[in-house]
Amino acid sequence: MNTVVAKLQRQFQDYLVSLYQQGFLDNQFTELRKLQDEGTPDFVAEVVSLFFDDCSKLINSMSRSLERPENVDFKQVDSGVHQLKGSSSSVGARRVKNVCISFKECCDVQNREGCLRCLQQVDYEYKMLKTKLQDLFNLEKQIVQAGGAIPQVNIN
Amino acid sequence: MGMVRESQFHVLAVDDSQLDRKMIERLLQKSSCQVTTVDSGSKALEFLGLRESNDPNSLETHQQEVEINLIITDYCMPGMTGYDLLKKVKESAAFRSIPVVIMSSENVPARISRCLEEGAEEFFLKPVKLADVTKLKPHMMKTKLKKEGEKVAEEENATSKPEESLVVEMILPLNQELELEQQEPMLSSNKRKAMEEVISADRSRPKYNDITTSV
């Protein structure tokens, strides 16, 4: 029983570390995990879920604003990027945040093509992260079901 | 008011982003504060019990609903900004003693000094961390003691930190902050934290040499 838990914990740790190493997550995700405890075991999952909902909504509205080349509402796009940058920053979604930085630059110079590319990229990145975190949360669940505790992972 | 537990501080958190409200609420709860969150400056004023009278330049105090020990607000909000809210609170005779903290995702030195000049106690760069929130206790302590009687307040104020020695958060020259963002190594947040410490201790140009990572 112990070795099952230990193995799962090791898997979890390795997976989480790889997400940092590959740049999907940054230190803010660590800060987020610090806020979770026995009293709030779903905190991270809830925040992350809010984030992905935000992504989906904002990407849809920005896509509509960018749709017609002759009539792009760059103000709306800028507002969407600002919100997306803020929330990705809050949860530690590093790659998403980085795309937002480029996205803002395209928006500032009213580069529609550039904006469309960034939009596509941000869509890809958030969906990728969603999958990765789902796998992470599944590992967590398995650990808990096997009677173990979620390891505190130190990122160097 | 006598029913309130001595150790519980009540914070009013204002942010138009649901995600950020959830974050700040948890951060404050983790620091043993009672939290009320609202999504706008006008709702914040309503909660405090401030309502606009016929004269738009003055706010009447109606029955104060709850005792608030600190207001923490986002800067960028539609309608009433955090700065506007700060001004209204500081202009109100009843509530100007409540410490106000501003949060912003953007490091704009002019914005920061404007807020501090208007009476904000601290300016936090988002994302706000647990370490930031622990800095709030002294500010909340001040008002709570004041409310518990002038005599006690006078004694405590003699020993507590004078208001002039505020630690200003994150006053990095703008180009340095941008530099950090462009490099975007995984350590950038840790670098920033280390730089925060350098700035707090010594206002001279921050050095990048002795950065150690810590989690």
Side-chain angles (χ1 to χ4, degrees), chain A residues 19-23 25-28 30-32 34-37 39-40 42-43 46-48 50-52 54 57 82 85-87 89-91 94 97-98 101 104-105 153-156, chain B residues 16-31 74 76 104-106 111 126-132 178 181-190 192-193 213-215:
Chain A
L19 292 180
Y20 283 92
Q21 286 175 336
Q22 291 166 54
L25 300 172
D26 63 29
N27 188 250
Q28 182 55 26
T30 314
E31 291 293 318
L32 198 65
K34 279 188 203 169
L35 297 176
Q36 184 166 292
D37 54 33
T40 54
D42 302 312
F43 178 72
E46 284 168 2
V47 172
V48 153
L50 273 177
F51 169 63
F52 293 136
D54 263 3
K57 265 189 297 216
H82 178 87
K85 181 164 184 259
S87 35
S89 177
S90 290
V91 304
R94 186 175 167 272
K97 184 182 75 168
N98 284 345
I101 293 170
K104 172 138 176 57
E105 286 167 10
V153 179
N154 289 319
I155 311 298
N156 293 316
Chain B
D16 60 317
S17 155
Q18 188 189 2
L19 194 149
D20 285 349
R21 277 200 305 278
K22 194 172 171 77
M23 294 283 298
I24 195 70
E25 180 187 56
R26 189 75 201 110
L27 278 163
L28 290 164
Q29 283 170 346
K30 197 90 177 147
S31 304
D74 188 26
C76 273
S104 178
S105 54
E106 289 160 319
R111 176 185 293 184
K126 282 179 163 183
V128 178
K129 298 175 167 47
L130 265 174
D132 297 320
L178 286 174
E181 290 211 319
Q182 279 153 24
Q183 284 164 19
E184 270 307 298
M186 260 196 292
L187 307 171
S188 65
S189 316
N190 287 327
R192 201 181 70 180
K193 190 177 187 0
T213 56
S214 60
V215 174

Side-chain angles (χ1 to χ4, degrees), chain B residues 1-10 67-69 97 140-157:
Chain B
M1 266 200 267
M3 295 297 176
V4 176
R5 270 177 292 158
E6 300 269 337
S7 53
Q8 273 267 299
F9 292 119
H10 191 159
E67 184 189 323
I68 292 292
N69 304 112
S97 62
M140 294 191 280
M141 205 58 121
K142 263 191 293 193
T143 33
K144 201 142 176 95
L145 289 170
K146 267 187 195 149
K147 287 193 171 167
E148 271 152 28
E150 285 300 301
K151 231 192 227 175
V152 179
E154 270 172 356
E155 280 179 308
E156 288 292 336
N157 281 341

